[in-house]
Amino acid sequence: MNVLLAVRMYISKMIQESGPGMKVLLMDRETIGIVSVAYAQSEILQKEVYLFEQIDKSGNGPVMKHLKCVVFLRPSQENVQLLATELKSPRYGVYYIYFSGIISKAAIKVLAESDEQEVVREIQEFYADYFAVGPHLFSLNLEKPIHGMEWNPNSLQRSVQGLLSILLSLKKNPVIRYQSFSQLARRLAENIRDTVQKESTLFHFQRGESVPLLLILDRRCDPITPLLNQWTYQAMVHELLSIKNNRVSLVGVPGAPKDLSEVLLSAEQDEFYADNMYLNFGDIGQTIKSLMDEFQAKAKSHQKVESIADMKAFVENYPQFKKMSGAVTKHVTLVGELSRLVTQHNLLEVSEAEQELACQEEHSQSLTKIRRLLATDQIRDLDAARLVFLYAIRYNKHPNKDISGLMELLRRRGTSDRLIDCVDAILRYASSSETIGSNILTTKDVTKITEKIFKGLKGVENVFTQHSPVLKEIMDNMIKGRLSEESFPVVGGESTSRIQDVIIFMVGGVTHEESLAVHHFCRANTGIRIALGGTQIHNSQSFISDVEAAVKFAAGGNTKHPASNLAPSSSGRHAKLT
């Protein structure tokens, strides 16, 4: 159930199968991302791949018959036509072609007819049609997949292809369940079932005592989690700096080294990140200090080069020393920037207010605190708007709500019209689910709310982290056999037996907080293996953009919403196909 390992094995195999010798890797825009998330470029270079090309930009490249061409493309009509054009006038000696999903017989015929010089050695399907961000986390990198509460047809097709690829790469033929309130989840579930039945020869995987489960959820079941500030390392970097395909841009970051415009954050490549990605921000301070102490000790030992033996030891250890030096610079820069942003934008106080909104029943206290924060210049407009979003969802039905008053405060502080309009959009998005209600935000046992005191970095203390995503409750009920068929119907009427392998997919995107919940859940339930994915991995800004698109009609018009809500109450098929 390791999605990252599955993708890495596919990529390694496609390069190995072409045999020894210099190679070029020919990809499309998406497969470039899929490969770069799973492998560092330095790793690929070690496999005799010396050139990387994008198929829609490679038409006029030089002829290099001494190179073998490994082709890795999505099975789209556009890619098939571009590859057919390449094969009619081949620039490389031989071609090994791999598609990331199911390819039609008609497409294979087009390629066969174009291969007049017989340079194609094989065509195979390698099911790596998703972005494996981590061992249990994957994304399809689909922005704004929903329009007017309906699927964008291209996004639906891409989601079906991505999930089929997940099932085939993990060799699972699952029972499929979905959230009953969501027509989006139902449509995706039915399309996957139909394709599995159509391609039944691909899904002859033996089932044991436990039947795999594909559980399709809708982001609307929990619109709160993507709106909250985060306080674990990975989630915090994504919220404040944004992680795209495991890469973080440091352009414009004060004090960042000039040669460090972009950094890679991959648990596969970075031992410090692997060990600390789920740690609370305050704890990172101590681990950073330990990393620097270790680095400084090694640096001092490298200064003592007084003999031939010392020189030999230095040369042997230099690559590791250089790698450690890069890790120190990278993480000190990142943590320093996070700390600066926390202080500059008063995120501790903002986060405390968010957590009170999410987990406590204190309307008057929360309203007073939000009004005070909205009058503060120190907090960002984004954070001010998010507080109003959370308040609107939380207290939309409260008799003394004052959503319109808070919107007026946003206007007075000069918040953009876009963010102010999003208050209405967020409300429509949340209320479009029949399950939306106070249960989303109210924990069952408020007495168990704990206050986590961060220690380590100065200025980080008394930050609340009591919020728990709805996904955790769903997983708890799942493992106890309490997911009712009324709330989570089964496509095709199959019954689920003992749960062991589960693929959870969130239409509308997942968050790193939910990924962390899966990580903790699997550690606490050692017999359970879960892969979590979504249309994309959200921070608050990407989620707000998705919501804006979701509440509009595909043609661009706005849906209506009662104004009273705003007013105050005053591995698969690998045989050769050629």
Side-chain angles (χ1 to χ4, degrees), residues 437-457:
S438 61
N439 62 309
I440 285 179
L441 294 163
T442 311
T443 54
K444 291 184 178 179
D445 189 356
V446 178
T447 61
K448 291 184 179 179
I449 293 174
T450 60
E451 178 179 335
K452 169 70 175 177
I453 300 177
F454 289 133
K455 295 178 181 179
L457 285 181

Side-chain angles (χ1 to χ4, degrees), residues 319-364:
Q320 185 181 358
F321 175 78
K322 185 72 174 173
K323 184 178 180 181
M324 189 178 186
S325 172
V328 169
T329 304
K330 173 169 64 177
H331 292 291
V332 167
T333 302
L334 284 173
V335 173
E337 177 62 4
L338 295 179
S339 185
R340 184 186 72 84
L341 293 171
V342 167
T343 303
Q344 181 175 325
H345 302 305
N346 199 17
L347 294 184
L348 296 179
E349 193 170 1
V350 170
S351 182
E352 185 176 343
E354 291 173 354
Q355 294 290 326
E356 288 177 5
L357 280 167
C359 302
Q360 297 180 25
E361 183 75 44
E362 297 288 347
H363 174 264
S364 179

